[in-house]
Amino acid sequence: MLDRQLVESIESWYIDTIDPRFFPVFMTLKDASKFDEVKRTVFAAIERAATGDGVSAAFFAGAQSNARYGLLMGLTSPAKVAEKLVWAATPTGDPAALGPLYERIAGLTLADVKAYLAKRWVARNRTVVTLSTKVKR
Protein backbone atom coordinates (compact mmCIF):
# COMPACT_ATOMS: atom_id res chain seq x y z
CA MET A 1 0.00 0.00 0.00
CA LEU A 2 2.93 2.30 0.59
CA ASP A 3 4.15 1.66 -2.94
CA ARG A 4 0.69 2.52 -4.30
CA GLN A 5 0.59 5.64 -2.11
CA LEU A 6 -2.66 4.63 -0.39
CA VAL A 7 -1.32 5.16 3.13
CA GLU A 8 1.18 7.49 4.75
CA SER A 9 2.23 4.90 7.30
CA ILE A 10 1.66 1.31 8.42
CA GLU A 11 2.59 0.25 11.92
CA SER A 12 2.05 -2.77 14.12
CA TRP A 13 3.16 -3.88 17.56
CA TYR A 14 2.58 -6.74 19.93
CA ILE A 15 3.40 -7.11 23.60
CA ASP A 16 3.36 -10.54 25.22
CA THR A 17 1.38 -10.74 28.44
CA ILE A 18 -0.23 -13.44 30.53
CA ASP A 19 -3.62 -12.52 29.07
CA PRO A 20 -4.36 -12.70 25.33
CA ARG A 21 -3.87 -9.43 23.47
CA PHE A 22 -4.72 -7.88 20.17
CA PHE A 23 -2.23 -7.75 17.31
CA PRO A 24 -3.05 -4.28 16.01
CA VAL A 25 -2.26 -2.83 12.62
CA PHE A 26 -2.35 0.95 12.43
CA MET A 27 -2.55 2.86 9.17
CA THR A 28 -2.78 6.50 8.33
CA LEU A 29 -4.56 6.92 5.03
CA LYS A 30 -3.58 9.61 2.58
CA ASP A 31 -7.11 9.79 1.22
CA ALA A 32 -10.10 8.73 3.35
CA SER A 33 -12.06 7.83 0.20
CA LYS A 34 -9.61 4.90 -0.28
CA PHE A 35 -10.60 3.31 3.04
CA ASP A 36 -12.44 0.34 1.52
CA GLU A 37 -9.57 -0.40 -0.87
CA VAL A 38 -7.04 -0.28 1.98
CA LYS A 39 -9.22 -2.50 4.15
CA ARG A 40 -9.60 -5.08 1.34
CA THR A 41 -5.85 -5.01 0.73
CA VAL A 42 -5.03 -5.59 4.41
CA PHE A 43 -7.55 -8.41 4.76
CA ALA A 44 -6.23 -10.05 1.58
CA ALA A 45 -2.67 -9.90 2.98
CA ILE A 46 -3.86 -11.45 6.25
CA GLU A 47 -5.65 -14.21 4.34
CA ARG A 48 -2.50 -14.92 2.28
CA ALA A 49 -0.48 -15.15 5.48
CA ALA A 50 -3.11 -17.37 7.12
CA THR A 51 -2.97 -19.84 4.23
CA GLY A 52 0.82 -19.77 4.25
CA ASP A 53 1.06 -18.09 0.86
CA GLY A 54 2.33 -14.82 2.28
CA VAL A 55 5.28 -16.22 4.23
CA SER A 56 8.28 -17.48 2.26
CA ALA A 57 11.18 -19.40 3.75
CA ALA A 58 13.49 -16.46 3.03
CA PHE A 59 11.15 -13.97 4.72
CA PHE A 60 10.79 -16.25 7.73
CA ALA A 61 14.56 -16.72 8.07
CA GLY A 62 14.99 -12.95 7.86
CA ALA A 63 12.37 -12.41 10.56
CA GLN A 64 14.11 -14.89 12.87
CA SER A 65 17.46 -13.22 12.25
CA ASN A 66 15.97 -9.78 12.84
CA ALA A 67 14.45 -10.91 16.14
CA ARG A 68 17.79 -12.26 17.36
CA TYR A 69 20.17 -9.59 16.16
CA GLY A 70 17.69 -6.75 16.57
CA LEU A 71 17.52 -7.61 20.26
CA LEU A 72 21.30 -7.68 20.60
CA MET A 73 21.73 -4.39 18.75
CA GLY A 74 19.16 -2.78 21.04
CA LEU A 75 21.08 -3.57 24.23
CA THR A 76 22.90 -0.26 24.18
CA SER A 77 22.53 0.82 27.80
CA PRO A 78 21.64 -0.58 31.22
CA ALA A 79 18.16 0.90 30.80
CA LYS A 80 17.66 -0.89 27.47
CA VAL A 81 18.88 -4.18 28.96
CA ALA A 82 16.43 -3.78 31.85
CA GLU A 83 13.62 -2.92 29.43
CA LYS A 84 14.20 -6.10 27.41
CA LEU A 85 14.43 -8.27 30.53
CA VAL A 86 11.14 -6.87 31.84
CA TRP A 87 9.50 -7.29 28.42
CA ALA A 88 10.55 -10.96 28.28
CA ALA A 89 9.52 -11.64 31.88
CA THR A 90 6.06 -10.07 31.56
CA PRO A 91 4.10 -13.19 30.48
CA THR A 92 5.49 -15.50 33.19
CA GLY A 93 7.16 -13.34 35.80
CA ASP A 94 10.42 -15.21 35.22
CA PRO A 95 13.34 -12.76 35.10
CA ALA A 96 15.41 -15.37 33.22
CA ALA A 97 12.85 -15.69 30.41
CA LEU A 98 14.80 -13.80 27.74
CA GLY A 99 17.20 -16.62 26.84
CA PRO A 100 14.54 -19.35 26.56
CA LEU A 101 12.29 -17.02 24.57
CA TYR A 102 14.92 -16.49 21.90
CA GLU A 103 15.78 -20.21 21.94
CA ARG A 104 12.11 -20.92 21.15
CA ILE A 105 12.13 -18.35 18.35
CA ALA A 106 15.28 -19.94 16.90
CA GLY A 107 13.64 -23.37 17.10
CA LEU A 108 10.49 -22.36 15.22
CA THR A 109 10.00 -23.68 11.73
CA LEU A 110 8.11 -22.15 8.85
CA ALA A 111 5.60 -25.00 9.22
CA ASP A 112 5.01 -23.97 12.87
CA VAL A 113 4.29 -20.40 11.83
CA LYS A 114 1.99 -21.42 8.98
CA ALA A 115 0.03 -23.74 11.31
CA TYR A 116 -0.36 -20.91 13.84
CA LEU A 117 -1.46 -18.42 11.20
CA ALA A 118 -4.00 -20.87 9.73
CA LYS A 119 -5.52 -21.41 13.17
CA ARG A 120 -5.43 -17.88 14.59
CA TRP A 121 -5.42 -15.36 11.71
CA VAL A 122 -8.93 -16.16 10.52
CA ALA A 123 -11.86 -13.80 10.04
CA ARG A 124 -13.78 -15.08 13.08
CA ASN A 125 -10.89 -13.95 15.33
CA ARG A 126 -10.73 -10.49 13.79
CA THR A 127 -11.80 -7.30 15.54
CA VAL A 128 -11.87 -4.17 13.42
CA VAL A 129 -11.90 -0.70 14.90
CA THR A 130 -11.91 2.34 12.64
CA LEU A 131 -11.03 5.78 13.94
CA SER A 132 -11.34 8.86 11.82
CA THR A 133 -11.40 12.56 12.29
CA LYS A 134 -13.74 15.16 10.95
CA VAL A 135 -12.36 18.35 9.57
CA LYS A 136 -13.67 21.41 11.39
CA ARG A 137 -14.90 24.11 9.11
Side-chain angles (χ1 to χ4, degrees), residues 40-78:
R40 280 192 307 274
T41 302
V42 169
F43 288 170
I46 290 169
E47 294 300 322
R48 278 194 314 278
T51 60
D53 292 338
V55 183
S56 69
F59 179 86
F60 178 70
Q64 278 183 307
S65 177
N66 182 280
R68 180 179 183 174
Y69 294 108
L71 168 75
L72 295 174
M73 291 186 70
L75 301 177
T76 57
S77 69

mmCIF file of all heavy atoms in Angstrom, residues 40-78:
data_model
loop_
_atom_site.group_PDB
_atom_site.id
_atom_site.type_symbol
_atom_site.label_atom_id
_atom_site.label_comp_id
_atom_site.label_asym_id
_atom_site.label_seq_id
_atom_site.Cartn_x
_atom_site.Cartn_y
_atom_site.Cartn_z
ATOM 1 N N ARG A 40 -9.642 -3.853 2.143
ATOM 2 C CA ARG A 40 -9.604 -5.082 1.341
ATOM 3 C C ARG A 40 -8.160 -5.568 1.159
ATOM 4 O O ARG A 40 -7.887 -6.771 1.233
ATOM 5 C CB ARG A 40 -10.247 -4.844 -0.031
ATOM 6 C CG ARG A 40 -11.759 -4.879 -0.023
ATOM 7 C CD ARG A 40 -12.323 -4.930 -1.434
ATOM 8 N NE ARG A 40 -11.824 -3.880 -2.313
ATOM 9 C CZ ARG A 40 -12.345 -2.651 -2.409
ATOM 10 N NH1 ARG A 40 -13.381 -2.323 -1.671
ATOM 11 N NH2 ARG A 40 -11.829 -1.774 -3.248
ATOM 12 N N THR A 41 -7.248 -4.645 0.937
ATOM 13 C CA THR A 41 -5.845 -5.011 0.727
ATOM 14 C C THR A 41 -5.245 -5.631 1.988
ATOM 15 O O THR A 41 -4.533 -6.643 1.926
ATOM 16 C CB THR A 41 -5.026 -3.776 0.290
ATOM 17 O OG1 THR A 41 -5.607 -3.247 -0.899
ATOM 18 C CG2 THR A 41 -3.582 -4.124 0.040
ATOM 19 N N VAL A 42 -5.536 -5.049 3.143
ATOM 20 C CA VAL A 42 -5.031 -5.585 4.412
ATOM 21 C C VAL A 42 -5.623 -6.964 4.685
ATOM 22 O O VAL A 42 -4.900 -7.903 5.016
ATOM 23 C CB VAL A 42 -5.343 -4.622 5.580
ATOM 24 C CG1 VAL A 42 -5.074 -5.281 6.931
ATOM 25 C CG2 VAL A 42 -4.550 -3.347 5.439
ATOM 26 N N PHE A 43 -6.924 -7.111 4.520
ATOM 27 C CA PHE A 43 -7.554 -8.410 4.765
ATOM 28 C C PHE A 43 -7.038 -9.469 3.805
ATOM 29 O O PHE A 43 -6.843 -10.621 4.179
ATOM 30 C CB PHE A 43 -9.071 -8.303 4.692
ATOM 31 C CG PHE A 43 -9.697 -7.583 5.861
ATOM 32 C CD1 PHE A 43 -11.020 -7.225 5.835
ATOM 33 C CD2 PHE A 43 -8.965 -7.255 6.989
ATOM 34 C CE1 PHE A 43 -11.614 -6.564 6.899
ATOM 35 C CE2 PHE A 43 -9.539 -6.598 8.060
ATOM 36 C CZ PHE A 43 -10.871 -6.254 8.017
ATOM 37 N N ALA A 44 -6.786 -9.098 2.554
ATOM 38 C CA ALA A 44 -6.233 -10.049 1.583
ATOM 39 C C ALA A 44 -4.828 -10.491 2.003
ATOM 40 O O ALA A 44 -4.479 -11.673 1.893
ATOM 41 C CB ALA A 44 -6.209 -9.430 0.189
ATOM 42 N N ALA A 45 -4.026 -9.561 2.513
ATOM 43 C CA ALA A 45 -2.675 -9.902 2.977
ATOM 44 C C ALA A 45 -2.746 -10.829 4.186
ATOM 45 O O ALA A 45 -1.958 -11.787 4.296
ATOM 46 C CB ALA A 45 -1.898 -8.635 3.316
ATOM 47 N N ILE A 46 -3.683 -10.582 5.082
ATOM 48 C CA ILE A 46 -3.856 -11.453 6.253
ATOM 49 C C ILE A 46 -4.283 -12.849 5.804
ATOM 50 O O ILE A 46 -3.780 -13.856 6.301
ATOM 51 C CB ILE A 46 -4.867 -10.841 7.248
ATOM 52 C CG1 ILE A 46 -4.255 -9.601 7.914
ATOM 53 C CG2 ILE A 46 -5.304 -11.869 8.292
ATOM 54 C CD1 ILE A 46 -5.240 -8.775 8.712
ATOM 55 N N GLU A 47 -5.201 -12.918 4.852
ATOM 56 C CA GLU A 47 -5.647 -14.211 4.337
ATOM 57 C C GLU A 47 -4.494 -14.968 3.674
ATOM 58 O O GLU A 47 -4.346 -16.177 3.856
ATOM 59 C CB GLU A 47 -6.807 -14.041 3.354
ATOM 60 C CG GLU A 47 -8.081 -13.520 3.987
ATOM 61 C CD GLU A 47 -8.633 -14.410 5.090
ATOM 62 O OE1 GLU A 47 -8.554 -15.656 4.955
ATOM 63 O OE2 GLU A 47 -9.123 -13.879 6.094
ATOM 64 N N ARG A 48 -3.660 -14.269 2.899
ATOM 65 C CA ARG A 48 -2.503 -14.925 2.278
ATOM 66 C C ARG A 48 -1.565 -15.472 3.340
ATOM 67 O O ARG A 48 -1.058 -16.588 3.220
ATOM 68 C CB ARG A 48 -1.748 -13.942 1.365
ATOM 69 C CG ARG A 48 -2.356 -13.788 -0.002
ATOM 70 C CD ARG A 48 -1.426 -13.084 -0.979
ATOM 71 N NE ARG A 48 -0.768 -11.893 -0.470
ATOM 72 C CZ ARG A 48 -1.305 -10.679 -0.419
ATOM 73 N NH1 ARG A 48 -2.536 -10.475 -0.850
ATOM 74 N NH2 ARG A 48 -0.623 -9.657 0.054
ATOM 75 N N ALA A 49 -1.342 -14.682 4.389
ATOM 76 C CA ALA A 49 -0.475 -15.152 5.482
ATOM 77 C C ALA A 49 -1.106 -16.352 6.176
ATOM 78 O O ALA A 49 -0.428 -17.328 6.492
ATOM 79 C CB ALA A 49 -0.217 -14.024 6.481
ATOM 80 N N ALA A 50 -2.420 -16.294 6.409
ATOM 81 C CA ALA A 50 -3.107 -17.373 7.120
ATOM 82 C C ALA A 50 -3.095 -18.682 6.341
ATOM 83 O O ALA A 50 -3.127 -19.765 6.931
ATOM 84 C CB ALA A 50 -4.548 -16.969 7.436
ATOM 85 N N THR A 51 -3.025 -18.609 5.029
ATOM 86 C CA THR A 51 -2.968 -19.836 4.228
ATOM 87 C C THR A 51 -1.526 -20.257 3.970
ATOM 88 O O THR A 51 -1.279 -21.279 3.350
ATOM 89 C CB THR A 51 -3.681 -19.650 2.877
ATOM 90 O OG1 THR A 51 -3.043 -18.602 2.152
ATOM 91 C CG2 THR A 51 -5.143 -19.333 3.067
ATOM 92 N N GLY A 52 -0.591 -19.456 4.431
ATOM 93 C CA GLY A 52 0.816 -19.775 4.247
ATOM 94 C C GLY A 52 1.404 -19.213 2.967
ATOM 95 O O GLY A 52 2.603 -19.312 2.747
ATOM 96 N N ASP A 53 0.567 -18.618 2.124
ATOM 97 C CA ASP A 53 1.060 -18.086 0.855
ATOM 98 C C ASP A 53 1.870 -16.806 1.023
ATOM 99 O O ASP A 53 2.666 -16.475 0.172
ATOM 100 C CB ASP A 53 -0.107 -17.805 -0.099
ATOM 101 C CG ASP A 53 -0.784 -19.078 -0.556
ATOM 102 O OD1 ASP A 53 -0.138 -20.145 -0.495
ATOM 103 O OD2 ASP A 53 -1.953 -18.999 -0.964
ATOM 104 N N GLY A 54 1.659 -16.096 2.114
ATOM 105 C CA GLY A 54 2.330 -14.816 2.284
ATOM 106 C C GLY A 54 3.632 -14.883 3.059
ATOM 107 O O GLY A 54 4.234 -13.861 3.348
ATOM 108 N N VAL A 55 4.069 -16.086 3.429
ATOM 109 C CA VAL A 55 5.276 -16.223 4.231
ATOM 110 C C VAL A 55 6.238 -17.176 3.524
ATOM 111 O O VAL A 55 6.021 -18.387 3.512
ATOM 112 C CB VAL A 55 4.961 -16.750 5.649
ATOM 113 C CG1 VAL A 55 6.217 -16.810 6.490
ATOM 114 C CG2 VAL A 55 3.909 -15.886 6.330
ATOM 115 N N SER A 56 7.286 -16.642 2.929
ATOM 116 C CA SER A 56 8.276 -17.482 2.258
ATOM 117 C C SER A 56 9.346 -17.914 3.257
ATOM 118 O O SER A 56 9.501 -17.314 4.320
ATOM 119 C CB SER A 56 8.934 -16.711 1.117
ATOM 120 O OG SER A 56 9.751 -15.672 1.644
ATOM 121 N N ALA A 57 10.092 -18.931 2.887
ATOM 122 C CA ALA A 57 11.182 -19.404 3.746
ATOM 123 C C ALA A 57 12.218 -18.303 3.960
ATOM 124 O O ALA A 57 12.726 -18.122 5.074
ATOM 125 C CB ALA A 57 11.832 -20.647 3.136
ATOM 126 N N ALA A 58 12.511 -17.542 2.917
ATOM 127 C CA ALA A 58 13.493 -16.458 3.034
ATOM 128 C C ALA A 58 12.987 -15.358 3.965
ATOM 129 O O ALA A 58 13.733 -14.843 4.799
ATOM 130 C CB ALA A 58 13.808 -15.880 1.657
ATOM 131 N N PHE A 59 11.724 -15.000 3.843
ATOM 132 C CA PHE A 59 11.151 -13.975 4.719
ATOM 133 C C PHE A 59 11.187 -14.447 6.167
ATOM 134 O O PHE A 59 11.562 -13.704 7.075
ATOM 135 C CB PHE A 59 9.715 -13.646 4.300
ATOM 136 C CG PHE A 59 9.068 -12.615 5.175
ATOM 137 C CD1 PHE A 59 9.242 -11.266 4.919
ATOM 138 C CD2 PHE A 59 8.304 -12.996 6.263
ATOM 139 C CE1 PHE A 59 8.654 -10.312 5.735
ATOM 140 C CE2 PHE A 59 7.714 -12.051 7.087
ATOM 141 C CZ PHE A 59 7.887 -10.695 6.822
ATOM 142 N N PHE A 60 10.805 -15.702 6.380
ATOM 143 C CA PHE A 60 10.792 -16.251 7.732
ATOM 144 C C PHE A 60 12.184 -16.263 8.341
ATOM 145 O O PHE A 60 12.374 -15.863 9.492
ATOM 146 C CB PHE A 60 10.190 -17.666 7.711
ATOM 147 C CG PHE A 60 10.192 -18.316 9.056
ATOM 148 C CD1 PHE A 60 9.366 -17.864 10.061
ATOM 149 C CD2 PHE A 60 11.042 -19.377 9.323
ATOM 150 C CE1 PHE A 60 9.380 -18.450 11.315
ATOM 151 C CE2 PHE A 60 11.055 -19.975 10.569
ATOM 152 C CZ PHE A 60 10.218 -19.520 11.572
ATOM 153 N N ALA A 61 13.174 -16.706 7.576
ATOM 154 C CA ALA A 61 14.555 -16.718 8.074
ATOM 155 C C ALA A 61 15.016 -15.309 8.404
ATOM 156 O O ALA A 61 15.692 -15.087 9.422
ATOM 157 C CB ALA A 61 15.487 -17.355 7.041
ATOM 158 N N GLY A 62 14.642 -14.347 7.588
ATOM 159 C CA GLY A 62 14.990 -12.953 7.857
ATOM 160 C C GLY A 62 14.332 -12.437 9.123
ATOM 161 O O GLY A 62 14.944 -11.697 9.901
ATOM 162 N N ALA A 63 13.081 -12.825 9.349
ATOM 163 C CA ALA A 63 12.371 -12.406 10.561
ATOM 164 C C ALA A 63 13.021 -13.000 11.808
ATOM 165 O O ALA A 63 13.177 -12.319 12.826
ATOM 166 C CB ALA A 63 10.903 -12.806 10.484
ATOM 167 N N GLN A 64 13.418 -14.270 11.734
ATOM 168 C CA GLN A 64 14.112 -14.893 12.867
ATOM 169 C C GLN A 64 15.436 -14.181 13.143
ATOM 170 O O GLN A 64 15.777 -13.901 14.296
ATOM 171 C CB GLN A 64 14.379 -16.367 12.590
ATOM 172 C CG GLN A 64 13.208 -17.262 12.864
ATOM 173 C CD GLN A 64 13.552 -18.711 12.638
ATOM 174 O OE1 GLN A 64 14.044 -19.074 11.578
ATOM 175 N NE2 GLN A 64 13.285 -19.546 13.618
ATOM 176 N N SER A 65 16.176 -13.902 12.103
ATOM 177 C CA SER A 65 17.458 -13.219 12.254
ATOM 178 C C SER A 65 17.268 -11.829 12.834
ATOM 179 O O SER A 65 18.001 -11.400 13.734
ATOM 180 C CB SER A 65 18.162 -13.136 10.896
ATOM 181 O OG SER A 65 19.366 -12.422 11.009
ATOM 182 N N ASN A 66 16.246 -11.127 12.343
ATOM 183 C CA ASN A 66 15.969 -9.781 12.842
ATOM 184 C C ASN A 66 15.607 -9.808 14.318
ATOM 185 O O ASN A 66 16.041 -8.937 15.084
ATOM 186 C CB ASN A 66 14.858 -9.136 12.024
ATOM 187 C CG ASN A 66 14.572 -7.726 12.478
ATOM 188 O OD1 ASN A 66 13.875 -7.518 13.464
ATOM 189 N ND2 ASN A 66 15.115 -6.777 11.766
ATOM 190 N N ALA A 67 14.820 -10.799 14.728
ATOM 191 C CA ALA A 67 14.453 -10.907 16.139
ATOM 192 C C ALA A 67 15.695 -11.086 17.000
ATOM 193 O O ALA A 67 15.867 -10.418 18.024
ATOM 194 C CB ALA A 67 13.489 -12.075 16.350
ATOM 195 N N ARG A 68 16.580 -11.962 16.562
ATOM 196 C CA ARG A 68 17.785 -12.256 17.357
ATOM 197 C C ARG A 68 18.756 -11.077 17.383
ATOM 198 O O ARG A 68 19.157 -10.604 18.434
ATOM 199 C CB ARG A 68 18.476 -13.483 16.784
ATOM 200 C CG ARG A 68 19.711 -13.849 17.541
ATOM 201 C CD ARG A 68 20.347 -15.086 16.966
ATOM 202 N NE ARG A 68 21.501 -15.456 17.755
ATOM 203 C CZ ARG A 68 22.189 -16.543 17.564
ATOM 204 N NH1 ARG A 68 21.823 -17.395 16.633
ATOM 205 N NH2 ARG A 68 23.230 -16.805 18.297
ATOM 206 N N TYR A 69 19.146 -10.628 16.217
ATOM 207 C CA TYR A 69 20.168 -9.588 16.156
ATOM 208 C C TYR A 69 19.611 -8.207 16.463
ATOM 209 O O TYR A 69 20.330 -7.343 16.961
ATOM 210 C CB TYR A 69 20.895 -9.638 14.812
ATOM 211 C CG TYR A 69 21.677 -10.920 14.684
ATOM 212 C CD1 TYR A 69 21.262 -11.920 13.827
ATOM 213 C CD2 TYR A 69 22.793 -11.155 15.481
ATOM 214 C CE1 TYR A 69 21.965 -13.126 13.736
ATOM 215 C CE2 TYR A 69 23.495 -12.347 15.398
ATOM 216 C CZ TYR A 69 23.075 -13.327 14.520
ATOM 217 O OH TYR A 69 23.767 -14.506 14.456
ATOM 218 N N GLY A 70 18.323 -8.016 16.194
ATOM 219 C CA GLY A 70 17.695 -6.754 16.574
ATOM 220 C C GLY A 70 17.693 -6.567 18.079
ATOM 221 O O GLY A 70 17.935 -5.485 18.594
ATOM 222 N N LEU A 71 17.445 -7.658 18.798
ATOM 223 C CA LEU A 71 17.519 -7.612 20.262
ATOM 224 C C LEU A 71 18.920 -7.232 20.701
ATOM 225 O O LEU A 71 19.109 -6.312 21.495
ATOM 226 C CB LEU A 71 17.146 -8.963 20.865
ATOM 227 C CG LEU A 71 17.489 -9.080 22.357
ATOM 228 C CD1 LEU A 71 16.504 -8.290 23.190
ATOM 229 C CD2 LEU A 71 17.570 -10.512 22.796
ATOM 230 N N LEU A 72 19.919 -7.937 20.182
ATOM 231 C CA LEU A 72 21.298 -7.682 20.599
ATOM 232 C C LEU A 72 21.730 -6.254 20.285
ATOM 233 O O LEU A 72 22.390 -5.607 21.096
ATOM 234 C CB LEU A 72 22.244 -8.679 19.922
ATOM 235 C CG LEU A 72 22.053 -10.138 20.334
ATOM 236 C CD1 LEU A 72 22.937 -11.039 19.495
ATOM 237 C CD2 LEU A 72 22.310 -10.331 21.811
ATOM 238 N N MET A 73 21.334 -5.758 19.127
ATOM 239 C CA MET A 73 21.727 -4.393 18.751
ATOM 240 C C MET A 73 21.020 -3.337 19.603
ATOM 241 O O MET A 73 21.497 -2.211 19.716
ATOM 242 C CB MET A 73 21.457 -4.163 17.271
ATOM 243 C CG MET A 73 22.405 -4.996 16.402
ATOM 244 S SD MET A 73 22.251 -4.626 14.665
ATOM 245 C CE MET A 73 22.962 -2.989 14.639
ATOM 246 N N GLY A 74 19.894 -3.722 20.203
ATOM 247 C CA GLY A 74 19.157 -2.777 21.039
ATOM 248 C C GLY A 74 19.644 -2.709 22.473
ATOM 249 O O GLY A 74 19.182 -1.879 23.254
ATOM 250 N N LEU A 75 20.569 -3.556 22.856
ATOM 251 C CA LEU A 75 21.078 -3.572 24.233
ATOM 252 C C LEU A 75 22.224 -2.572 24.359
ATOM 253 O O LEU A 75 23.374 -2.936 24.579
ATOM 254 C CB LEU A 75 21.533 -4.991 24.606
ATOM 255 C CG LEU A 75 20.466 -6.073 24.519
ATOM 256 C CD1 LEU A 75 21.049 -7.439 24.838
ATOM 257 C CD2 LEU A 75 19.281 -5.759 25.425
ATOM 258 N N THR A 76 21.892 -1.317 24.249
ATOM 259 C CA THR A 76 22.905 -0.262 24.183
ATOM 260 C C THR A 76 23.147 0.460 25.499
ATOM 261 O O THR A 76 24.048 1.291 25.577
ATOM 262 C CB THR A 76 22.493 0.771 23.119
ATOM 263 O OG1 THR A 76 21.182 1.266 23.461
ATOM 264 C CG2 THR A 76 22.465 0.138 21.731
ATOM 265 N N SER A 77 22.354 0.156 26.512
ATOM 266 C CA SER A 77 22.530 0.819 27.798
ATOM 267 C C SER A 77 21.920 -0.061 28.885
ATOM 268 O O SER A 77 21.125 -0.954 28.585
ATOM 269 C CB SER A 77 21.827 2.189 27.796
ATOM 270 O OG SER A 77 20.416 2.005 27.766
ATOM 271 N N PRO A 78 22.267 0.195 30.145
ATOM 272 C CA PRO A 78 21.641 -0.575 31.217
ATOM 273 C C PRO A 78 20.112 -0.459 31.200
ATOM 274 O O PRO A 78 19.408 -1.432 31.458
ATOM 275 C CB PRO A 78 22.231 0.036 32.488
ATOM 276 C CG PRO A 78 23.558 0.569 32.055
ATOM 277 C CD PRO A 78 23.326 1.077 30.653
#
